[in-house]
Amino acid sequence: MTNIGHYRATAKVLESEGAVKTRLWICPPTRMDEHQLKEEGYYGIFGAAGARTEMPGCSLCMGNQARVNDGTTVFSTSTRNFNNRMGKDARVYLGSAELAAVCALLGRIPTVQEYLDIAAKKINPFAGDLYRYLNFDQIAGFEDEGRVIPLEEMPKIEDILGMPVKAGR
């Protein structure tokens, strides 16, 4: 439910901290985000933290892919917080990926000051680099990345409609 910059910031919070004290799932929104994060070395940080990386998708909908133990407290960046969605009697709190990383690092929801202190040290000095968007339109070969039919073999609109298509229509 976040953009690539939040995944980079999450990795910065976890970097050089060892394994987190909780279960941590990471699920990027697209395969291109996943590829870029791997290229930039962030998946190595997630692995060192003991995070479980999931197949990219619109969000990690835990009700479909995994469930937590009964009565567990969950901090999630997903919008799937209705009763029993993530686990029976799970207590689900929603927030940013950065806050989720701090929760995983501490093993609990931090105080405001604890969060601000960690963010000031681990995120803020790098914010300009971390929060760069992945601009698909600026990636060489993006249009062909997921293509299964070569561009020259793609059907033309005229062929599909059975008549010529004029500009402005």
Side-chain angles (χ1 to χ4, degrees):
M1 302 302 283
T2 58
N3 74 50
I4 194 168
H6 299 283
Y7 290 88
R8 291 181 184 121
T10 294
K12 272 304 203 189
V13 169
L14 302 173
E15 189 174 41
S16 303
E17 296 290 340
V20 296
K21 296 178 168 104
T22 64
R23 284 193 216 164
L24 175 62
W25 278 275
I26 303 284
C27 182
T30 70
R31 288 180 311 172
M32 293 187 77
D33 288 294
E34 175 188 50
H35 174 77
Q36 187 65 32
L37 291 165
K38 285 179 178 179
E39 288 288 313
E40 294 176 9
Y42 291 112
Y43 263 60
I45 296 170
F46 298 146
R52 173 178 160 173
T53 52
E54 296 288 339
M55 180 174 42
C58 63
S59 74
L60 178 58
C61 183
M62 304 248 319
N64 292 332
Q65 296 183 36
R67 291 182 57 85
V68 298
N69 292 332
D70 294 354
T72 299
T73 298
V74 177
F75 190 90
S76 176
T77 63
S78 172
T79 58
R80 306 295 183 161
N81 68 326
F82 48 87
N83 290 344
N84 300 313
R85 177 62 176 191
M86 293 186 177
K88 185 178 177 198
D89 298 323
R91 295 169 305 278
V92 181
Y93 298 87
L94 302 180
S96 71
E98 295 86 344
L99 182 53
V102 172
C103 290
L105 186 66
L106 298 178
R108 59 181 169 75
I109 298 173
T111 66
V112 171
Q113 193 57 55
E114 287 173 321
Y115 173 78
L116 292 174
D117 290 346
I118 290 171
K121 177 182 168 190
K122 297 195 140 243
I123 298 172
N124 298 352
F126 311 101
D129 188 49
L130 297 175
Y131 294 108
R132 292 174 289 110
Y133 285 104
L134 184 56
N135 296 311
F136 297 128
D137 64 325
Q138 297 172 15
I139 298 173
F142 164 71
E143 291 180 8
D144 293 320
E145 181 73 22
R147 191 178 307 284
V148 293
I149 300 172
L151 185 59
E152 56 275 0
E153 293 178 23
M154 288 290 291
K156 304 289 185 263
I157 293 175
E158 294 86 7
D159 297 335
I160 295 169
L161 296 176
M163 61 180 176
V165 175
K166 296 179 182 176
R169 276 180 64 188

